[in-house]
Amino acid sequence: INAEYMGAPRGAARFREMVDGGFFGGVRFFRVIEGFMAQFGIAGDPAVAAQWRNKKIRDDKVRKSNRRGYLSFATSGPDSRTTQIFINFGDNSNLNEMGFAPFAQVVEGMDVVDRIYKGYGEGAPNGSGPDQGRIQSEGNTYLEASFPKLSWIESTRLVLKPSTKN
């Protein structure tokens, strides 16, 4: 994933903060909709989820389009982004006018993203997937017991681009 300059500096900075802090280890892809997107970003440990729940960041301007392989933060309204992110499976440019600003792009491994488990689909109450409130309060204990097929992130690390200076 390349989170270098995409015109969404606040989103990129939050992503780096999360990677640097080890946030993503064990995080499940809890809402995965074929042809649309894969959503993740609620910590598997309820105590960690609670620490991040109100750490909102202001919106970035949309400078790139929500295309296949681009990552954006989920939002519940203006300036409400916290830790939930989605990876676009296709052209979701309709999200641009709704304020979803891509901050990173999958540059290698989109074939792995395409294999994320999609069987549960939309989350509760509109679908058969996990309830986000229960993920927040019960974490991976709830997900492992009720949704054992969910794909997850084992670990993340920051890889700096080699310097081009001689």
Side-chain angles (χ1 to χ4, degrees), residues 28-34 37 116-131 135 142-152:
R28 272 36 178 192
F29 289 88
F30 62 85
R31 181 177 176 238
V32 184
I33 301 172
E34 182 77 48
M37 59 85 216
I116 292 171
Y117 184 74
K118 300 170 184 70
Y120 300 119
E122 183 63 76
N126 298 325
S128 60
D131 178 284
I135 302 170
Y142 160 64
L143 295 175
E144 290 164 5
S146 301
F147 301 92
K149 294 181 179 180
L150 289 177
S151 301
W152 71 88

Side-chain angles (χ1 to χ4, degrees), residues 9-88:
R10 293 179 190 103
R14 170 54 58 89
F15 184 70
R16 182 170 181 168
E17 177 185 9
M18 294 166 70
V19 169
D20 288 347
F23 178 88
F24 293 109
V27 166
R28 272 36 178 192
F29 289 88
F30 62 85
R31 181 177 176 238
V32 184
I33 301 172
E34 182 77 48
F36 180 41
M37 59 85 216
Q39 188 169 338
F40 63 103
I42 300 176
D45 177 344
V48 173
Q51 291 172 359
W52 285 88
R53 193 170 300 124
N54 293 313
K55 289 186 175 183
K56 296 179 177 159
I57 58 172
R58 290 192 352 230
D59 292 339
D60 286 304
K61 289 186 179 180
V62 177
R63 299 184 196 282
K64 297 281 185 180
S65 186
N66 281 277
R67 297 183 315 209
R68 177 172 168 75
Y70 280 65
L71 284 76
S72 294
F73 275 89
T75 179
S76 59
D79 298 325
S80 64
R81 299 179 300 165
T82 57
T83 60
Q84 293 189 43
I85 297 168
F86 61 90
I87 304 171
N88 290 290

